[in-house]
């Protein structure tokens, strides 16, 4: 039998796939299997397959399948006999699974059996919480999750994994993998909003908005700012806090994609910029923290069109950076700064991921790539301030210009003196 980490990986994948299908089935009328039952079924299949491979007896897997078919058949018979039977299959599948867990104690790593048994107990205990979570997700939210599954589980595996074009940097698989990373982070913020953000205060509205999309949050908050000085102040705080979340995304992207040297070199300047951006927002927030603020309904962050657009933007930025680096003697370092600034106007993720990926082979970017990120951040701030002024009025523009002046001045100092 494989080592325990491999077994845990297989069981985890099975549980996640079962939860995914169970989440969709939980909302379907008349179903006898839902959010807890499907994970039990997939785990049962995985465990019986493990036992069959270990013992060399395919009948073990067949016995598990027969058990599943029997339970489902009995459930449907009871449903036919009674128009509204009080029949649940969760306990039956739990019994079947715990039988195989008991067998795994003997033939497999004990730690896996213990973890699996404990997981079953937790899954059975939190029935109300799991069903409540499913009921709070609407059709729009379920569609967002399924679109992420389409992007991740269906499109990604079939994308070619080889480089194309000059400079040997354009790899469709790696590009789409970056799409999965960005869409996944945005989807995480979107789901958290569904549970905590509808009546969020100013601080939480900025945090969740930045987790989903700081640019989209700037647009929606600016539109709400027209009317009163209080609305302008609220919008400015939300925009600055959402802009602060950009740095969290930067650190995550550098940690996942970039070299360790780039992450280490970027830690101090990016942290200082984050503090300088957050400081004016917190000072203003302390004056209005007791007042409520509604967060606009965010858009679905998993739309396929948006994913494709990001993939194209990322590829263009990556190619432009590679070209600027290749012709650095002709265009100078300023060429890379121009690419960073133009990319950062509307999107920070593309330039961050491009810089992080190239830092794996380019020692120069591993050492100085944080400068490109700071240039992009500063361009992004300027763009947000202008956009807020157009959508929210001169008062919001003046407020944001004053608040953004602190991190912009700090970033200029860091670029020239650090």
């Amino acid at each position: 039998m494989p080592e325990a980490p491999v077994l845990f990986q297989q069981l985890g994948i099975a549980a996640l796939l079962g939860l995914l299908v169970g989440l969709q089935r939980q909302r379907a009328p008349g179903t006898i299997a839902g959010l807890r039952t499907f994970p039990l079924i997939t785990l049962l299949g995985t465990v019986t397959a493990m036992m069959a491979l270990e013992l060399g007896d395919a009948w073990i897997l067949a016995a598990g399948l027969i058990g599943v078919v029997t339970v489902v058949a009995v459930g449907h018979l009871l449903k036919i006999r009674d128009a509204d039977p009080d029949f649940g299959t969760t306990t039956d599948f739990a019994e079947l699974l715990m039988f195989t867990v008991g067998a795994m104690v003997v033939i497999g790593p004990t730690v896996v059996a213990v973890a699996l048994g404990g997981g079953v107990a937790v899954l059975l205990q939190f029935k109300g919480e799991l069903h409540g979570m499913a009921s709070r997700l609407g059709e729009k939210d379920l569609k967002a999750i399924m679109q992420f599954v389409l992007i991740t589980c269906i499109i990604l595996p079939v994308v070619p994994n080889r480089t194309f074009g000059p400079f040997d940097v354009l790899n469709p698989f790696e590009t789409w993998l970056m799409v999965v990373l960005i869409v996944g982070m945005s989807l995480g913020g979107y789901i958290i909003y569904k549970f905590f953000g509808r009546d969020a205060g100013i601080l939480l509205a900025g945090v969740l908005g930045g987790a989903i999309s700081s640019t989209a949050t700037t647009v929606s908050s600016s539109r709400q700012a027209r009317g009163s000085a209080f609305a302008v102040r609220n919008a400015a705080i939300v925009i600055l806090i959402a802009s602060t979340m950009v740095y969290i995304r930067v650190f995550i992207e550098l940690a996942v994609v970039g070299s360790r040297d780039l992450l280490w070199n970027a830690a101090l300047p990016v942290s200082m910029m984050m503090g300088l951006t957050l400081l004016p927002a917190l000072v203003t927030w302390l004056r209005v923290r007791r007042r409520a603020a509604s967060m606009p309904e965010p858009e679905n962050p998993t739309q396929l069109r948006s994913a494709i657009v990001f993939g194209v933007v990322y590829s263009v930025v990556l190619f432009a950076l590679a070209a600027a680096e290749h012709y650095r003697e002709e265009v100078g370092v300023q060429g890379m700064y121009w690419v960073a600034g133009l990319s950062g106007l509307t999107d920070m993720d593309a330039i961050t991921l491009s810089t992080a990926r190239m830092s794996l082979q380019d020692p120069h970017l591993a050492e100085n790539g944080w400068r490109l990120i700071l240039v992009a951040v500063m361009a992004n701030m300027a763009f947000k301030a202008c956009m807020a002024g157009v959508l929210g009025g001169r008062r919001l523009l003046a407020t944001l210009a004053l608040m953004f002046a602190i991190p912009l001045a700090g970033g200029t100092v860091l670029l020239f003196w650090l």
Side-chain angles (χ1 to χ4, degrees):
M1 183 167 286
E3 297 293 329
V6 176
L7 297 179
F8 276 124
Q9 181 183 26
Q10 294 170 342
L11 291 169
I13 293 173
L16 287 174
L17 292 174
L19 282 169
L20 178 64
V21 177
L23 176 63
Q24 198 282 329
R25 289 288 82 197
Q26 184 70 37
R27 303 181 59 84
T31 183
I32 62 172
L35 193 56
R36 297 185 304 155
T37 306
F38 272 99
L40 293 175
I41 296 173
T42 53
L43 288 172
L44 176 63
T46 303
V47 173
T48 52
M50 290 176 179
M51 295 169 62
L53 287 174
E54 179 67 17
L55 299 177
D57 189 351
W59 279 105
I60 297 177
L61 185 59
L65 178 60
I66 292 171
V68 172
V69 172
T70 301
V71 172
V72 173
V74 170
H76 280 290
L77 288 174
L78 290 176
K79 195 172 183 180
I80 293 172
R81 189 186 65 180
D82 193 337
D84 186 23
D86 184 16
F87 179 79
T89 58
T90 302
T91 300
D92 302 293
F93 282 116
E95 292 171 350
L96 290 172
L97 179 57
M98 290 310 297
F99 170 80
T100 59
V101 169
M104 181 167 277
V105 172
V106 178
I107 67 171
T110 304
V111 63
V112 176
V114 171
L116 186 59
V120 172
V122 171
L123 192 63
L124 295 175
Q125 174 62 32
F126 289 98
K127 174 182 178 180
E129 289 79 2
L130 290 172
H131 289 187
M133 180 191 72
S135 64
R136 292 182 65 176
L137 294 175
E139 290 299 322
K140 179 182 176 182
D141 312 322
L142 193 58
K143 181 181 178 181
I145 295 173
M146 294 306 165
Q147 285 176 327
F148 180 68
V149 173
L150 170 66
I151 292 171
T152 306
C153 300
I154 299 177
I155 296 179
L156 180 63
V158 300
V159 174
N161 187 8
R162 62 187 183 90
T163 56
F164 294 87
F167 310 120
D168 205 33
V169 294
L170 298 180
N171 184 309
F173 181 84
E174 292 183 359
T175 297
W176 201 253
L177 196 60
M178 299 303 104
V179 172
V180 170
L181 173 63
I182 298 306
V183 174
M185 289 194 297
S186 298
L187 178 62
Y190 179 82
I191 296 299
I192 293 173
Y193 159 80
K194 290 299 176 180
F195 293 96
F196 303 105
R198 285 188 172 90
D199 300 313
I202 300 173
L203 184 62
L204 186 57
V207 170
L208 294 179
I212 300 171
S213 171
S214 61
T215 302
T217 300
T218 301
V219 172
S220 57
S221 298
S222 298
R223 288 172 176 167
Q224 290 185 332
R226 290 187 178 272
S228 68
F230 175 69
V232 167
R233 186 165 50 187
N234 276 5
I237 296 171
V238 170
I239 292 170
L240 252 74
I241 294 175
S243 299
T244 304
M245 290 298 296
V246 168
Y247 302 104
I248 304 297
R249 293 173 70 103
V250 165
F251 277 126
I252 294 174
E253 291 162 13
L254 293 182
V256 173
V257 179
S259 67
R260 185 174 300 178
D261 289 338
L262 176 60
L263 179 61
W264 176 257
N265 291 325
L268 178 60
V270 173
S271 297
M272 292 178 67
M273 284 292 289
M274 181 168 62
L276 292 172
T277 307
L278 184 61
L279 179 62
L282 288 181
V283 170
T284 309
W285 172 75
L286 288 173
R287 301 177 182 177
V288 297
R289 63 184 183 276
R290 297 185 183 277
R291 301 181 184 180
S294 60
M295 181 179 173
E297 181 77 16
E299 295 183 358
N300 177 4
T302 64
Q303 295 181 13
L304 186 59
R305 182 177 62 180
S306 300
I308 294 174
V309 169
F310 175 79
V312 172
V313 171
Y314 167 78
S315 298
V316 170
V317 172
L318 181 63
F319 181 82
L321 276 181
E325 177 67 13
H326 182 78
Y327 296 108
R328 184 164 53 184
E329 293 184 1
E330 290 82 357
V331 301
V333 180
Q334 290 79 8
M336 303 187 76
Y337 287 151
W338 275 106
V339 174
L342 291 174
S343 174
L345 286 176
T346 57
D347 185 83
M348 278 298 303
D349 295 320
I351 183 63
T352 302
L353 290 172
S354 300
T355 305
R357 180 183 164 190
M358 290 185 60
S359 71
L360 295 172
Q361 289 85 30
D362 191 334
H364 173 75
L365 281 179
E367 182 179 356
N368 296 291
W370 63 268
R371 297 180 183 275
L372 301 180
I373 295 173
L374 256 62
V375 169
V377 166
M378 295 167 69
N380 189 258
M381 288 180 184
F383 176 78
K384 286 176 180 174
C386 294
M387 184 168 53
V390 172
L391 298 175
R394 294 181 179 178
R395 185 179 296 177
L396 179 59
L397 174 60
T399 303
L400 282 178
L402 183 62
M403 290 182 168
F404 277 145
I406 297 175
L408 287 173
T412 303
V413 172
L414 288 171
L415 287 173
F416 282 99
W417 294 99
L418 192 61

